[in-house]
Amino acid sequence: MGIQSFVPSSGGGMPGASFIAAIQMTTYNRSWAQVGGPGDYVLVSSKLSNGYAYFIQGGSTQGVPLGNIINLPNGFTNINVVAPKDDYIMLYKVATKTTTTFSNPFANFSSFPSTITSSGNFVLPNNALPLVNVLVAGGGGGSYHHSGGGGGGNVITLTAYQAVGTTSVTIGGASSRGSKAGDTYFGNVYAIGGGGTSGSDNGPGINGGNGGGGANHGNNNYYVGGTGTSQSSSTGLGTAGTPQFGGGYSGGYSHGTGSLGGGGHVGGGGGGAGGAGANRPSNQRYGVLGGAGFPSDISGSTMHYGAGGGGSDHNTNSNGGGSRPDGGSGGVADGSYAHSYSTISYGSGGNSTYNGTNPAQTGAVIVRYYIP
Amino acid sequence: MSNYAKIENGIVTNIIVCEDSQIGTQPGHHVKVTENTNEPIIGFEYNSEKNKFTSPQPYESWILNEETLVWESPAGPKPTDGFYRWDEESLSWKQLGQE
């Protein structure tokens, strides 16, 4: 019998990937003079070993583990490979096809919300999809009677965030007047707590994720609300999970007695994660609204997170402050807002009332995970 | 569930909510807030010897009580029969609306 050759009937190799060349790892560190144009590439170990490679183009270097595809928009002129000795490393160019999104990607999974209100660890169940949706709300800022409303905490949502195993959670506490509330963390992602109303009877609101309302117990001055802090990828949001941010709004200003008889014992509304707190007009004495909360249905129904607290009314003692999706009410003349809405949730600032306050709320993390 | 203050270089940097049994999972040094510690505010100093938080000096004339670590005015505590503000110029409490 003569020598036989083998020819694959079709295909072979990696579908959608074009083989370019291979090297042998005669040492564990090999520098490979190989040129490639712009595109997607992958280096594969013949033994499926772990290793790492650096694609070099001029002064630019991009690293990638073996087996992972890397996009190289400028191509490369050299590859430095670190892998076990005697292995063979194969270079492929990957043909990446165009795709489109599809609707309701989680519709076929069973989903479960996990509401975390105390610091600790979130542990993803073993049988869950490693992609979760997350809402992070900072703590709410505090208020005071006859004063301004507290600012709500900032809110961050993450969609299809990769959370495998255990993730550290820190829940930001609510604050009192004169102070900023605590920040809430989910891993390295964090939402800044809201600022409280002024620490003194007459004064500006405190800065925070959303600023607290200014206070005025009784003089002719005008006091600004605290400033909000907008967050970005480098200040808490990160880049994973398509982060969406709510907050960064200012608290409303307070106004003294003034020529039009504003009153005193009044304050501005706290800023909310969905909008700024209302200002105190100089010629009015009734309570003003805090900033709107940030709406989300991650818990299963639409709730508002991080709403600002309302500024106090001067003397409408029958109308205590209440919570509203568009921010707390500090006591309004017709009393229609003198109750709390069930759709207000974590991270909201406190409302200031004639004779007291509605306390601010702590922050929270809500994780919705999916079981295939 | 308790409030804890996170301490970095002697300064309060965050206030968190945590079960006592879980505080060990939190990165960094945390101090439990109790009735005896004074209320911590972000930016306050923490005195580990006395286990108390203390604010920055509110006015130049106020003196720190070394026992309680609370700043006290030279005119005594704020009156409780109305609304008052501190007047540093006259070193006295001024009743709002009576000035």
Side-chain angles (χ1 to χ4, degrees):
Chain A
M1 191 165 63
I3 296 173
Q4 295 185 353
S5 63
F6 172 75
V7 178
S9 58
S10 64
M14 295 170 61
S18 303
F19 175 75
I20 297 176
I23 62 167
Q24 182 183 11
M25 299 299 293
T26 52
T27 64
Y28 72 90
N29 54 329
R30 304 304 302 170
S31 184
W32 180 359
Q34 174 70 50
V35 175
D40 297 326
Y41 293 88
V42 61
L43 285 163
V44 179
S45 154
S46 65
K47 298 179 180 177
L48 301 180
S49 303
N50 292 323
Y52 207 85
Y54 294 94
F55 288 85
I56 301 168
Q57 168 62 281
S60 171
T61 299
Q62 284 185 260
V64 63
L66 299 186
N68 286 18
I69 294 173
I70 185 172
N71 178 260
L72 299 167
N74 299 315
F76 57 94
T77 56
N78 201 84
I79 310 170
N80 288 345
V81 183
V82 179
K85 183 174 176 294
D86 295 331
D87 201 351
Y88 283 83
I89 305 299
M90 297 163 285
L91 174 64
Y92 293 85
K93 185 167 188 180
V94 180
T96 306
K97 295 199 169 185
T98 302
T99 58
T100 60
T101 60
F102 65 98
S103 301
N104 302 319
F106 297 114
N108 293 325
F109 298 87
S110 300
S111 72
F112 304 89
S114 175
T115 299
I116 306 166
T117 58
S118 179
S119 304
N121 289 319
F122 169 75
V123 181
L124 187 71
N126 287 334
N127 57 341
L129 186 74
L131 300 175
V132 297
N133 292 338
V134 185
L135 182 143
V136 185
S143 61
Y144 193 60
H145 68 86
H146 287 150
S147 188
N154 277 347
V155 176
I156 295 166
T157 60
L158 308 172
T159 302
Y161 181 86
Q162 189 167 340
V164 181
T166 300
T167 305
S168 174
V169 172
T170 298
I171 301 299
S175 74
S176 305
R177 73 161 175 164
S179 66
K180 173 189 158 295
D183 304 335
T184 297
Y185 286 74
F186 181 73
N188 293 325
V189 175
Y190 64 89
I192 297 174
T197 188
S198 172
S200 59
D201 294 342
N202 301 283
I206 303 299
N207 299 339
N210 299 285
N216 190 311
H217 265 52
N219 66 27
N220 293 331
N221 297 332
Y222 156 107
Y223 296 100
V224 297
T227 302
T229 303
S230 289
Q231 297 182 239
S232 65
S233 59
S234 60
T235 56
L237 274 65
T239 55
T242 318
Q244 185 182 4
F245 172 69
Y249 293 98
S250 297
Y253 61 70
S254 65
H255 206 291
T257 51
S259 60
L260 296 175
H265 294 181
V266 294
N279 296 315
R280 156 72 49 194
S282 62
N283 60 345
Q284 294 177 350
R285 301 158 67 94
Y286 52 79
V288 295
L289 296 177
F294 182 93
S296 169
D297 63 358
I298 190 169
S299 68
S301 59
T302 299
M303 307 286 282
H304 293 76
Y305 301 86
S312 177
D313 188 19
H314 171 52
N315 57 5
T316 314
N317 58 5
S318 61
N319 300 321
S323 298
R324 294 159 43 99
D326 52 353
S329 68
V332 178
D334 65 5
S336 60
Y337 304 141
H339 62 281
S340 293
Y341 277 66
S342 60
T343 59
I344 292 292
S345 196
Y346 299 96
S348 296
N351 301 310
S352 174
T353 72
Y354 170 77
N355 57 359
T357 63
N358 297 129
Q361 298 172 322
T362 63
V365 169
I366 299 173
V367 182
R368 181 170 283 275
Y369 60 90
Y370 299 87
I371 307 289
Chain B
M1 205 134 64
S2 305
N3 276 10
Y4 283 83
K6 185 175 185 180
I7 310 297
E8 294 178 277
N9 298 319
I11 302 294
V12 178
T13 59
N14 202 12
I15 309 290
I16 72 169
V17 180
C18 192
E19 296 285 356
D20 295 343
S21 61
Q22 293 295 308
I23 194 62
T25 66
Q26 292 298 298
H29 175 50
H30 292 82
V31 173
K32 187 174 183 176
V33 180
T34 69
E35 289 181 357
N36 298 324
T37 58
N38 301 330
E39 183 185 357
I41 285 180
I42 293 170
F44 277 22
E45 291 183 12
Y46 174 65
N47 184 315
S48 58
E49 286 184 14
K50 295 185 181 296
N51 189 28
K52 289 183 186 297
F53 303 99
T54 185
S55 70
Q57 187 174 16
Y59 298 99
E60 202 169 297
S61 65
W62 288 35
I63 298 165
L64 186 66
N65 182 320
E66 297 291 346
E67 186 63 30
T68 63
L69 294 187
V70 172
W71 294 95
E72 296 176 346
S73 85
K78 185 178 182 177
T80 56
D81 60 345
F83 298 109
Y84 289 82
R85 68 171 180 85
W86 177 252
D87 182 55
E88 183 68 3
E89 194 171 323
S90 64
L91 300 181
S92 64
W93 293 102
K94 298 286 189 186
Q95 188 166 19
L96 300 178
Q98 306 294 314
E99 300 176 68

